[in-house]
Amino acid sequence: SIEDREKAIVDNINADQNAVTHLKYVNSERDKMPLDKLNKALDKYLDSQEEADVSLRKYLVFGVQWVSLVTENLLSHPFIVLRRQCQVYNASQRYHLHPFQLLPSIVHLHRRQGVTTLWKGLGSCLLVRGMTLAIDDVICKVTSWPKDVDSRTTLKRFGQHILLKCISIGLVVPFYAASLVETVQSDIASEKPGLLDVFREGSLRLFYWSSPQKGRMLPAWALIGPSVSMGITKYLFSLVIRGVSSRIMRRRLTQKQEQRGAKFRDDTLEHQNAEIYASLIAMLTTEVLFFPFETILHRLQLQGTRTIIDNLDNGYAVVPILTNYQGAIDCYRTTLVSEGFSGLYKGFGAMILQFAAHVAVIKLTKWIVGQITECVSNRPPARIVQYYNLDRGAGNSDSTTISPSISSTELDVHSVGQNSLD
């Protein structure tokens, strides 16, 4: 029977007590290592593996942040160019409210002007964004007003932050208008601007504060008021949507962890994905809601600049922009009368393409990161050796104690014994 066979095995072990009493080393063909040294080496190896996993997760988080930043500032630029060209063309016959209307025009533009035609003005856009960050930093250092806020910010500090944003937006408006001209003007009908022309044109518009620089161009004071109002409202709305979306996603992540019965050791990557999606939701909601106001501001900023743009009705010809708006209210009324309410949403299809491409890039990045994380999680564990100390029962011939001296995993002793007996 099985019990007799187990008793026979125990008797054999008791008979060989003198042979195993002096077992203190793990013997191999190459060397002999004490058990305590092997235990320390094994612990050190496992710690190094855990540190490598943490470092890999940090690199993955940084990679996701970098891809999101590049997508927002670089890969979205061609769609921003198309969107702005549609917005400022008040006499267009096609409104391009969905992406399918834009595809033939994009093909014709590429055939006629090349691939770089949708990347014009990229340098000036990046310079304006960098200028905005620099102005925020300078005002923050001079006045000690916070340039970032969170849920713990007091009401007074939040008001100072809003004032900082108002000053920053107001100072950047003339340079933003100069950058707008570079992004919408046609490459085949205009001179290619220099890298620093945006600073020269923006400074001239800021210098002519109370009187127009030329022709029907609106003075700076007429542009700064509407721009600051829309910019602050848009910023506050985006801040609220992002905060609400982030909290909802974090709560869902916490509930999912509780349902699994345990929390992740390092959930930085999961929270980073939640923040990216919250930012994307806030950006999409804000852009859709404020699209008509952006159309009005772009038309006011472009007026009087004698800009010639590509005719996106066919993608072949070029047309000049000739408007005579007296202000934001006049632009709104004129657009409603001549183009209808849908005229405020010209180029909406380009924005759909922009966010579709943005989501696709984030999904692809998330899939790649998921594959890397899964490979790391499913990596076979380090080989664990179970060492048994058989010399504890040397003083007692009636019983034999088998105890592991190194144990990092739980072993099913019953199943092991059963397999060995069978």
Side-chain angles (χ1 to χ4, degrees), residues 202-251:
S203 301
L204 289 176
R205 298 198 71 164
L206 188 62
F207 179 76
Y208 291 95
W209 175 266
S210 58
S211 59
Q213 179 183 352
K214 53 186 176 181
R216 290 170 290 184
M217 181 182 295
L218 294 176
W221 65 267
L223 297 176
I224 290 179
S227 299
V228 171
S229 301
M230 194 200 79
I232 288 298
T233 308
K234 187 177 180 180
Y235 173 74
L236 292 176
F237 183 82
S238 176
L239 206 63
V240 172
I241 297 298
R242 180 178 179 180
V244 173
S245 302
S246 178
R247 290 192 177 187
I248 293 175
M249 290 187 177
R250 286 177 179 271
R251 184 174 299 177

Side-chain angles (χ1 to χ4, degrees), residues 173-185:
V173 165
F175 302 94
Y176 179 85
S179 174
L180 174 66
V181 174
E182 294 186 9
T183 56
V184 300
Q185 67 182 3

Side-chain angles (χ1 to χ4, degrees), residues 48-72:
S48 64
Q49 291 294 323
E50 186 175 356
E51 292 177 358
D53 293 343
V54 173
S55 301
L56 178 61
R57 282 185 171 271
K58 291 182 179 180
Y59 283 119
L60 291 178
V61 170
F62 176 76
V64 171
Q65 293 176 345
W66 184 82
V67 170
S68 179
L69 184 64
V70 170
T71 303
E72 182 179 352

Side-chain angles (χ1 to χ4, degrees), residues 310-326:
D310 297 310
N311 187 356
L312 291 183
D313 286 346
N314 49 39
Y316 291 112
V318 294
V319 291
I321 299 298
L322 302 174
T323 57
N324 191 20
Y325 304 120
Q326 302 302 318

